[in-house]
Amino acid sequence: MKLTRFFAAAALLFSVSACASVDTASRNAPADTPVVGLTDSVTIAPSFDVVELNILVPRDLRVSEANMYYPVADIVWRGDLPGDRHEQIGRIFQSGMGNTTSQLTGNQNVNVQVQVLRFHSLTEKARYTVGGVHSLKFAMTVTDATTGAVLIENRIVDASFEAYGGYKALEAERQGMTQKFRITQHLGQVIQEELTRPFSVQRGSPMALAGRQV
């Protein structure tokens, strides 16, 4: 009889201990830890028709005209004559992205705001020797053109790609593929990918209701 009561007490103690362990683990878990069996997000394919494209090039982005291999600055650009580099960069983004977004004919009218964070192309010294990278970065926000609801908020996009140097740069120039041409075309491709690629959103959000689930 005593032995039976011992095993019953031991079983009860083990049960309480196990519950405490689970509770402690749950409370100490990160807030974004997924809960098995519950799905709070869905993957959708957006269907956008861009009504307005707004390009922002903040004036606090630092410009360098130094002919060094790699100036420390936010904006380095030699593909236009000397002038207002902020305005020149804005026109490049508007041209490249505008040509692409005007061709999107989805089901939802949206406004797209792009804020340039970095536009670091090549100096003369780098372009005609070693080449490098066109380091391009921007933030993108997409809102419903009718309701103003935010569909994509402040997505950071790294659009960097290879910058030709030396003989390769000269050969590209002869074929009409200037730095400006290549960057403009590239930005068009990037914005198209960003506005059409499937991604996960919160279930029940405006984006989830507007997009096609995949």
Side-chain angles (χ1 to χ4, degrees):
M1 194 65 156
K2 291 182 179 179
L3 188 60
T4 300
R5 285 199 298 270
F6 171 78
F7 280 119
L12 179 60
L13 180 61
F14 177 78
S15 176
V16 172
S17 175
C19 289
S21 297
V22 171
D23 181 58
T24 300
S26 298
R27 283 187 282 106
N28 291 337
D32 59 350
T33 301
V35 180
V36 177
L38 297 179
T39 303
D40 294 326
S41 63
V42 293
T43 299
I44 61 99
S47 180
F48 292 149
D49 187 333
V50 179
V51 175
E52 181 179 341
L53 172 65
N54 186 24
I55 306 295
L56 302 178
V57 186
R59 283 287 166 178
D60 59 0
L61 292 180
R62 297 168 300 163
V63 177
S64 175
E65 299 290 344
N67 191 16
M68 306 164 57
Y69 281 114
Y70 197 83
V72 179
D74 304 304
I75 294 178
V76 174
W77 178 235
R78 303 293 188 272
D80 284 305
L81 294 175
D84 188 326
R85 298 303 189 190
H86 293 83
E87 288 187 1
Q88 292 172 355
I89 300 312
R91 287 195 294 268
I92 291 172
F93 267 79
Q94 189 72 50
S95 176
M97 293 184 170
N99 288 338
T100 296
T101 55
S102 64
Q103 298 173 24
L104 296 178
T105 56
N107 300 322
Q108 185 176 20
N109 292 340
V110 297
N111 296 328
V112 178
Q113 177 174 289
V114 169
Q115 179 172 324
V116 179
L117 303 176
R118 181 175 175 81
F119 191 103
H120 199 295
S121 187
L122 298 187
T123 64
E124 301 89 334
K125 191 171 187 177
R127 179 163 174 76
Y128 295 114
T129 54
V130 297
V133 173
H134 294 302
S135 181
L136 314 175
K137 185 178 289 187
F138 62 90
M140 180 182 74
T141 297
V142 179
T143 57
D144 186 282
T146 303
T147 67
V150 177
L151 307 176
I152 300 176
E153 185 171 16
N154 201 39
R155 179 192 292 172
I156 306 300
V157 180
D158 188 339
S160 303
F161 71 110
E162 180 189 5
Y164 296 156
Y167 175 79
K168 193 172 184 179
L170 293 173
E171 185 61 28
E173 291 272 2
R174 279 194 287 269
Q175 297 177 22
M177 292 190 295
T178 63
Q179 290 187 95
K180 190 172 185 177
F181 175 84
R182 294 187 66 230
I183 292 174
T184 301
Q185 295 296 308
H186 180 71
L187 288 173
Q189 295 171 7
V190 170
I191 197 66
Q192 181 177 35
E193 292 171 1
E194 292 300 318
L195 292 176
T196 58
R197 68 179 175 87
F199 59 97
S200 296
V201 296
Q202 192 74 17
R203 186 182 296 276
S205 67
M207 189 67 191
L209 297 176
R212 178 175 60 84
Q213 295 190 22
V214 295

